[in-house]
Amino acid sequence: MNRQRPIGFLDSGIGGITVLKKAVELLPNENYFFFSDSANNSYGDKSDGEIISRCTEIVNCLTVQKDCKAIVIACNTASAKAVKSLRANFDKIPIIAIEPAYKMVHDLRPKGATLIMATKGTISSEKFRRLYYSYYNHNTVIHSCVGLADLIEQGRDKEICDYLEKNLARYKGRAENVVLGCTHYPLIKAQIRKTLGDVTFFDGADGVSKRLKFLLEESNMLSDNQNGGEIEFCDSSPDDDMKKAKKERFFKLLNEDNI
């Protein structure tokens, strides 16, 4: 057993850093390898077959080349479309997948008017539909935020604010709970709150991190390093300047306290 093997993170971009931060808080002595697939971003408008094929390729790389001991699918669309296939093909390694935190609304604020923000790909998935109808509170609206993850990925702040005002202003005063069904969306909580008012946010990062810890403990794979782990970042862009910019933004966000 090699306890210093990394935990692999997969996302279509850098939005999954919102999940990674929670994992690092809970498991600070682990090594992490984060793969940002910006060359194929975004996943939200791709077909199931395209997403499954690409995620299979990435997970194969993470398990074979990087020797990852667990995989976290830190992308709601990839989770919704590909996790069943990934678990069937990589059945010797724990694969933990994020999903919109609608169950948390059911458990904590079931009567509150709820807005689910997610990508088109997530919303159209069978996995999301099962989740939604299992915990439906008869007071929920689903909004497909087409293109929003791209704007966040690119850091286009002015356009993000314009997008939110155009698409979400109608829910101001009507939504109490907001389910952030894309790992990019927690990066703009302040902007969403400016549009919607004082809402309560729900996302799946905490649940994923706790599940990751449980599975590592169960398999006796927790790191025995007591000095803190290392984080490695890789982006799939073919452009070197883009890779450098993504890496710089990734580590900048990693050190911010407001996400």
Side-chain angles (χ1 to χ4, degrees):
M1 178 176 60
N2 181 357
R3 295 190 177 182
Q4 307 312 318
R5 294 163 61 199
I7 298 164
F9 271 68
L10 180 166
D11 187 25
S12 62
I14 61 174
I17 196 172
T18 58
V19 185
L20 176 65
K21 282 177 70 74
K22 294 294 185 181
V24 173
E25 289 173 8
L26 192 62
L27 298 166
N29 294 319
E30 297 291 342
N31 292 334
Y32 297 91
F33 184 91
F34 189 103
F35 186 88
S36 163
D37 192 22
S38 65
N40 295 283
N41 187 60
S42 67
Y43 287 178
D45 294 324
K46 286 183 166 51
S47 70
D48 292 14
E50 288 175 309
I51 294 169
I52 291 170
S53 176
R54 182 56 182 156
C55 289
T56 300
E57 184 179 357
I58 295 169
V59 173
N60 186 65
C61 176
L62 292 175
T63 55
V64 175
Q65 296 183 25
K66 293 299 176 180
D67 194 28
C68 292
K69 62 184 180 182
I71 302 295
V72 175
I73 310 300
C75 169
N76 281 275
T77 303
S79 168
K81 301 286 190 176
V83 71
K84 183 177 180 180
S85 175
L86 292 174
R87 284 175 174 156
N89 286 313
F90 301 93
D91 58 350
K92 305 300 183 186
I93 184 171
I95 297 179
I96 303 93
I98 195 161
E99 65 181 17
Y102 193 47
K103 183 179 183 300
M104 290 179 66
V105 172
H106 174 271
D107 293 342
L108 301 175
R109 294 169 61 92
K111 296 182 180 179
T114 302
L115 171 65
I116 300 176
M117 298 172 58
T119 67
K120 174 184 172 184
T122 295
I123 290 170
S124 66
S125 70
E126 180 185 349
K127 183 179 179 185
F128 173 79
R129 290 293 172 182
R130 286 200 306 268
L131 173 74
Y132 178 69
Y133 288 114
S134 293
Y135 301 105
Y136 181 54
N137 69 354
H138 301 281
N139 197 11
T140 295
V141 174
I142 303 171
H143 190 96
S144 177
C145 298
V146 178
L148 180 57
D150 293 341
L151 296 178
I152 300 168
E153 182 74 18
Q154 297 162 22
R156 292 155 64 178
D157 295 339
K158 172 65 167 59
E159 292 176 61
I160 289 169
C161 291
D162 291 344
Y163 181 103
L164 295 176
E165 187 62 28
K166 178 181 178 180
N167 290 279
L168 300 187
R170 74 191 81 166
Y171 304 116
K172 185 172 184 178
R174 296 169 58 193
E176 302 167 57
N177 308 318
V178 177
V179 176
L180 301 173
C182 169
T183 55
H184 282 76
Y185 299 166
L187 295 172
I188 58 164
K189 282 182 179 179
Q191 294 95 316
I192 295 172
R193 187 169 272 126
K194 184 176 180 181
T195 300
L196 293 181
D198 189 20
V199 295
T200 300
F201 291 113
F202 296 86
D203 70 76
D206 279 328
V208 168
S209 302
K210 291 173 182 176
R211 180 64 176 168
L212 172 63
K213 182 179 180 181
F214 170 80
L215 290 176
L216 292 179
E217 285 178 332
E218 185 179 52
S219 303
N220 194 29
M221 290 196 297
L222 285 174
S223 172
D224 57 3
N225 177 17
Q226 299 300 311
N227 298 315
E230 298 179 352
I231 299 172
E232 187 176 352
F233 175 81
C234 178
D235 184 82
S236 65
S237 173
D239 182 270
D240 288 340
D241 290 338
M242 176 67 77
K243 282 185 177 182
K244 181 180 178 182
K246 291 279 186 179
K247 185 173 183 178
E248 289 175 352
R249 187 166 181 233
F250 174 86
F251 283 105
K252 180 177 181 292
L253 290 170
L254 193 63
N255 291 317
E256 289 184 356
D257 296 327
N258 60 341
I259 61 171

